[in-house]
Amino acid sequence: MKRIKDIDLSSSISKKDYKKQLKKLQLKMLTIQQILFNNNIGLILAFEGMDAAGKGGTIKRLTERLDPRGFIVHPISAPLPHELKFHYMHRFWTKLPMHGQIGIFDRSWYGRVLVERIEKYASKEEWTRAYEEINLFEKTLTDENYIMLKFWLHVDRKEQLNRFKERETNPYKVWKLTDEDWRNREKFDEYTAAADEMFNRTDQDYAPWVLIGGNNKQHARIIVLKETIKHVEKELGRRGLNITYVEL
């Protein structure tokens, strides 16, 4: 059973090792992108986590050396008025990558059992039912020609506060900090409990959760790259496809 309290938040990496590993792993991702394209297999990556846990920076490093024509990143926020007229999963179905491409969700359909649950935008009946709906959604995709992996990036209260304060004073990051972030911080424990239930009910072999300590941003980025590569290699191997990486 995966739980937030079991996440190691103390892990770190030296700047030298980070740069060395980052380039190597990014080039592996480029090779993977080409194999996915050539074999018409889609890759879906979903990122969730506490506010200021480093999701955006991690996605940036994950995609830095990829061909921009072969991936798309979807920043997910509250549904627009017209989207509320559909089933809540509709806006995610319409954003799925084509076979052979990579789709990355910066927050995802799991909002139904996180923010919508805690802020009471969804009734108890709705968010309780959502676990099965989500499992079926992910199973439908991975039974066809998609590979899926889900990440939870976590920071502790102290590190989150430090990042909030840094954003307040940084003109290039101040846009990231909203009143909603401060409100969510007051419900840190509620989000932790909801996330733990989410892992317990939606962590599947075909679409597993990977929980990563994000107090050290560089370490978290390396782990996300490694876990993505490992999962894709496993799924490609299951399809009889092997990867040969070129060392530069």
Side-chain angles (χ1 to χ4, degrees):
M1 180 177 177
K2 297 173 180 176
R3 298 174 298 182
I4 284 177
K5 72 175 185 178
D6 296 327
I7 298 174
D8 182 4
L9 294 171
S10 65
S11 298
S12 62
I13 187 172
S14 69
K15 187 174 182 180
K16 181 180 179 180
D17 285 344
Y18 169 67
K19 288 185 175 181
K20 182 179 179 180
Q21 290 192 50
L22 183 65
K23 180 178 180 180
K24 183 177 181 180
L25 294 168
Q26 287 176 335
L27 290 174
K28 282 189 173 184
M29 277 300 304
L30 179 58
T31 300
I32 282 174
Q33 183 187 32
Q34 294 167 351
I35 291 173
L36 293 172
F37 175 77
N38 290 332
N39 290 278
N40 210 34
I41 299 170
L43 174 61
I44 300 170
L45 302 175
F47 285 82
E48 294 286 352
M50 291 299 184
D51 294 325
K55 295 181 292 298
T58 298
I59 292 170
K60 179 180 178 181
R61 273 68 180 189
L62 178 70
T63 61
E64 200 164 23
R65 294 180 188 270
L66 298 182
D67 186 329
R69 295 168 297 180
F71 75 89
I72 187 168
V73 178
H74 298 288
I76 302 299
S77 56
L80 298 172
H82 76 275
E83 291 174 325
L84 292 172
K85 297 181 183 294
F86 295 92
H87 187 278
Y88 76 96
M89 291 296 289
H90 175 269
R91 63 183 179 135
F92 301 108
W93 274 106
T94 58
K95 291 179 174 64
L96 292 177
M98 292 186 291
H99 290 141
Q101 295 195 329
I102 300 172
I104 301 173
F105 291 83
D106 185 350
R107 299 207 182 276
S108 67
W109 43 94
Y110 283 97
R112 189 67 159 188
V113 296
L114 291 170
V115 64
E116 292 184 35
R117 167 185 177 174
I118 292 170
E119 300 300 333
K120 296 181 170 50
Y121 297 137
S123 67
K124 184 175 182 179
E125 179 184 357
E126 288 172 329
W127 64 257
T128 301
R129 187 176 68 235
Y131 296 115
E132 182 179 4
E133 294 169 341
I134 288 170
N135 284 331
L136 290 172
F137 167 70
E138 295 175 352
K139 189 69 166 60
T140 298
L141 294 172
T142 55
D143 275 350
E144 206 209 30
N145 228 16
Y146 286 98
I147 296 171
M148 184 178 292
L149 188 60
K150 304 169 299 197
F151 291 101
W152 177 272
L153 299 186
H154 197 73
V155 291
D156 59 28
R157 289 175 178 270
K158 181 180 178 181
E159 180 61 24
Q160 185 187 61
L161 181 59
N162 290 339
R163 293 184 187 181
F164 277 14
K165 289 181 176 179
E166 196 270 336
R167 287 180 176 183
E168 278 187 319
T169 58
N170 187 328
Y172 296 106
K173 293 184 179 181
V174 67
W175 64 271
K176 292 184 176 183
L177 189 64
T178 67
D179 291 340
E180 184 177 340
D181 293 326
W182 289 106
R183 288 196 300 271
N184 290 344
R185 179 173 164 77
E186 294 175 1
K187 298 179 179 180
F188 198 97
D189 291 339
E190 290 182 58
Y191 275 97
T192 298
D196 281 343
E197 183 175 359
M198 176 181 75
F199 306 141
N200 185 45
R201 300 184 67 170
T202 62
D203 182 39
Q204 310 292 346
D205 289 340
Y206 53 83
W209 278 103
V210 179
L211 281 55
I212 298 174
N215 276 15
N216 182 280
K217 293 180 180 180
Q218 290 74 27
H219 178 264
R221 293 165 186 168
I222 293 299
I223 298 302
V224 166
L225 276 158
K226 285 183 175 179
E227 291 291 334
T228 301
I229 292 165
K230 182 173 73 174
H231 185 66
V232 173
E233 286 175 343
K234 183 189 79 171
E235 289 298 314
L236 291 178
R238 192 172 60 81
R239 292 166 168 82
L241 299 170
N242 296 315
I243 304 176
T244 300
Y245 298 111
V246 178
E247 295 288 342
L248 298 179

